[in-house]
Amino acid sequence: FSISQPQVVTRIFAAADEKEVKAARWIYIGFLHFTWMGMVLIGMLAKGILPDLSDGEMALPILAKTFLPDIAVGFVFAGMVATILSSVDSLLVASASALSI
């Protein structure tokens, strides 16, 4: 998660004025910190609850299935799929933007 992601760079280029860029920067910084805090919390929980976990990327699905009701697990998995598809979509938008210039 960084400012070099295609969807962020495309938004910076599409800004109408400097005020919009400054507002977007604070939204981005807020989202970045919110995301970072969530990742740290899940990582700390995983280290404490699942110390023998061989693949760290499996921590979220295992924690969700263990501690959340089934409907919440569905939302977590839907969020994971949405994240993957969003990244693919952003790459397609960035590629199309680069080709149309």
Side-chain angles (χ1 to χ4, degrees):
F1 189 78
S2 70
I3 198 143
S4 64
Q5 290 183 334
Q7 69 269 25
V8 176
V9 173
T10 304
R11 299 299 183 267
I12 290 171
F13 290 148
D17 58 7
E18 188 176 338
K19 183 179 177 183
E20 189 175 312
V21 172
K22 288 181 180 180
R25 177 179 55 196
W26 288 111
I27 292 169
Y28 172 78
I29 290 170
F31 184 70
L32 176 69
H33 286 296
F34 178 75
T35 304
W36 180 81
M37 286 187 288
M39 290 186 297
V40 168
L41 178 66
I42 290 172
M44 289 171 47
L45 285 172
K47 281 292 186 187
I49 296 171
L50 307 167
D52 299 328
L53 188 64
S54 62
D55 183 10
E57 292 188 9
M58 289 302 297
L60 180 61
I62 291 171
L63 289 173
K65 286 176 64 177
T66 304
F67 296 106
L68 296 177
D70 291 341
I71 189 76
V73 172
F75 282 117
V76 169
F77 288 148
M80 293 166 75
V81 170
T83 302
I84 293 167
L85 294 177
S86 173
S87 297
V88 170
D89 178 61
S90 296
L91 292 171
L92 289 173
V93 168
S95 298
S97 296
L99 292 174
S100 66
I101 294 178

